[in-house]
Amino acid sequence: MSTVEPPPLAHVAERASRRAPGPAALAAFLDALAAALPDDRVTTGESARLAASRDGAYLSPLLSAVLPERLADVVVRPDGTGQLQAAVRLAHAHGVPVVPRGRGTGNYGQAVPLAGGVVIDLSDADRILEVGNGWIHAQAGATFVALEAAARRTGQEIAMMPTTVGSTIGGFLGGGAGGLGSIEHGWLWDGFVQALEVVGCPPQDEPRRVYGAQCLPYLHAYGVTGIIATATVKLAPARDWTAVLASFPGHAGADATRAGLALLRLDPAPRLVSVDEPALVATYPADPALPEGRHSLRAVVDTGVVNAVAEIVAAHGGRVDKVDAGAVGYVSTLSFNHVTLRAKKARPELCHLQVGGAPLVTDPDAVRAALPGSMLHLDGMRPYLDPADPVRGRGFGGLLLAPFHDAATLYAGVERLRALGVHVVDPHTWLLDGPALPGIRAAAAANDPQGLLNPGKLPEEPDA
């Protein structure tokens, strides 16, 4: 049986490194930066360069093995679009690669500079510019904590956000996908982003303004199509959220999952629903609301449906262990890729895959059997509007975590999962992929003809 081959990342990194600026070009660029930007916006200190050249890729044993040791040559922290454009214009003039980043919370090496050059850290460009009815407009460095606070002051909330709420809006749009609120509002591509201002390489006199579907090539594109300077994203009416932590007997995993499916059908929809088996719960910090040896069901729900949640849990043989509005943030950190982070602290040998599809619900044992010793974490997903089919209509995606042996074993497991009908997103590559790739390629060619924006993140053309 043939196996899925891992991407040749060492080869990709080596090719990208050839884009590194030579000593003369780099020296001229640094001199030009010093003349164009305030001293406090440019640094070549080693500690700053190191911090700006790393992200959460250490969660992957494959990425850790192939990411180059090279650091950015310089870090620029613009306070707004003008300084961002100035830095990119100079980088283009001197042939210096440009890597944009926010807080560096990505897990795939998206923000790692494979060719050195300049990392543009946008976290100081953090102003919230305007809040309207159903939307908020902010600079790329605004955090979701600040965005949510600003929205709440108008009786609204961010429709969807990452579980790492300290992330910046630009970083999330450039490297994320979904999170809190995705059950109701979907993902980045589902109308969450209303407008963007984007800086290409070379920059135009004014940032490129794109709206609606025009934004798609800039989402989850790691900055290769242009650097997001500002974003306008969707707000929803504010709700009063609380966290519910419930548990089920160790033999009742199917009951916990069915209860989770029932929660996904609540109106209003939960902001989050997660399910874990006892072995995975054992990797979390001890907590009476996560009882040992039991399946854990956690949800962030509107306070008006707490009684309905308790009834659903009891009807499926479970019990509610805690209801606490103050635990919403904590429960959020037991979902999505936070699970990988927590589990690897307890068991460093673990490796993860991102998985989705009906088999996670209909045949979880077969899913686990694809990788020896694996554990399955589930997060509620957006409905597909099929009320006649509760599995396909409202379902789960999640993570499969298993001890890492080698790449061949991991990718043989990927093939077995795909044969089961499981959708697998590979978290062990920085290469862009998926149905959006043709549009990303076209936008990158138009906005960055010299290929200076985050080189090495676009896969080579098939005939290259």
Side-chain angles (χ1 to χ4, degrees):
M1 180 179 70
S2 64
T3 58
V4 177
E5 292 293 332
L9 294 179
H11 167 71
V12 172
E14 190 279 327
R15 284 181 60 89
S17 71
R18 301 175 197 171
R19 303 303 306 267
L26 179 60
F29 173 60
L30 294 177
D31 288 344
L33 276 179
L37 298 179
D39 290 345
D40 63 348
R41 295 292 153 197
V42 181
T43 180
T44 56
E46 184 174 0
S47 61
R49 291 163 50 219
L50 177 61
S53 301
R54 299 289 183 265
D55 65 8
Y58 66 88
L59 293 176
S60 163
L62 296 181
L63 291 176
S64 300
V66 296
L67 280 169
E69 295 295 326
R70 183 179 182 120
L71 306 183
D73 296 299
V74 59
V75 181
V76 172
R77 296 174 64 94
D79 67 359
T81 303
Q83 290 183 355
L84 167 61
Q85 287 187 289
V88 176
R89 186 172 289 111
L90 291 173
H92 178 266
H94 294 278
V96 174
V98 180
V99 177
R101 69 181 276 139
R103 291 293 180 86
T105 56
N107 299 317
Y108 316 122
Q110 305 106 304
V112 173
L114 301 178
V118 57
V119 165
I120 298 185
D121 182 341
L122 289 152
S123 56
D124 282 353
D126 60 356
R127 292 189 291 280
I128 294 169
L129 302 173
E130 190 175 2
V131 182
N133 183 19
W135 55 269
I136 187 167
H137 180 211
Q139 291 181 314
T143 68
F144 281 89
V145 171
L147 292 165
E148 183 83 335
R152 286 269 170 180
R153 288 192 290 270
T154 68
Q156 302 178 92
E157 65 186 20
I158 301 295
M160 185 268 294
M161 70 172 93
T163 56
T164 307
V165 295
S167 298
T168 63
I169 181 65
F172 179 55
L173 299 184
L180 302 172
S182 286
I183 294 169
E184 181 174 5
H185 300 288
W187 304 86
L188 292 185
W189 306 271
D190 295 325
F192 175 66
V193 184
Q194 299 182 2
L196 298 172
E197 291 183 332
V198 182
V199 173
C201 187
Q204 299 175 333
D205 292 339
E206 296 291 334
R208 183 186 303 272
R209 291 176 173 84
V210 293
Y211 303 91
Q214 296 174 330
C215 300
L216 295 179
Y218 304 96
L219 306 181
H220 199 81
Y222 309 166
V224 304
T225 52
I227 301 172
I228 296 171
T230 74
T232 303
V233 298
K234 179 180 178 181
L235 300 182
R239 292 201 179 113
D240 187 12
W241 300 108
T242 193
V244 179
L245 294 90
S247 63
F248 294 76
H251 64 273
D255 293 331
T257 301
R258 282 192 286 268
L261 287 170
L263 295 187
L264 293 174
R265 296 193 288 273
L266 287 170
D267 185 15
R271 210 174 198 189
L272 179 72
V273 175
S274 300
V275 181
D276 283 322
E277 58 191 83
L280 194 50
V281 173
T283 68
Y284 299 159
D287 185 335
L290 299 171
E292 183 178 352
R294 291 175 67 86
H295 293 267
S296 173
L297 169 63
R298 304 172 300 278
V300 174
V301 301
D302 187 285
T303 55
V305 301
V306 168
N307 288 339
V309 172
E311 291 173 1
I312 288 170
V313 169
H316 289 84
R319 73 182 188 220
V320 172
D321 297 294
K322 186 175 186 178
V323 178
D324 184 2
V328 167
Y330 166 63
V331 166
S332 300
T333 67
L334 298 172
S335 63
F336 292 91
N337 252 331
H338 274 280
V339 170
T340 306
L341 180 65
R342 288 186 179 274
K344 282 182 69 69
K345 285 182 179 179
R347 295 181 54 186
E349 79 279 8
L350 292 175
C351 177
H352 71 295
L353 292 171
Q354 295 174 193
V355 292
L360 275 60
V361 173
T362 59
D363 200 358
D365 289 339
V367 172
R368 294 185 191 94
L371 282 171
S374 66
M375 302 173 291
L376 186 58
H377 164 82
L378 301 177
D379 287 306
M381 297 294 165
R382 189 183 189 188
Y384 289 94
L385 303 179
D386 185 2
D389 186 340
V391 172
R392 292 180 58 83
R394 308 241 179 172
F396 285 106
L399 302 168
L400 192 66
L401 298 103
F404 177 73
H405 299 287
D406 51 49
T409 300
L410 179 67
Y411 283 95
V414 170
E415 184 168 89
R416 286 191 287 270
L417 288 166
R418 289 175 175 163
L420 289 171
V422 175
H423 177 66
V424 181
V425 177
D426 186 358
H428 305 287
T429 177
W430 60 69
L431 290 173
L432 290 160
D433 198 3
L437 186 56
I440 291 173
R441 285 195 192 278
N447 299 337
D448 178 31
Q450 292 187 15
L452 293 174
L453 292 177
N454 211 352
K457 307 304 166 63
L458 265 174
E460 297 177 13
E461 294 279 7
D463 58 350

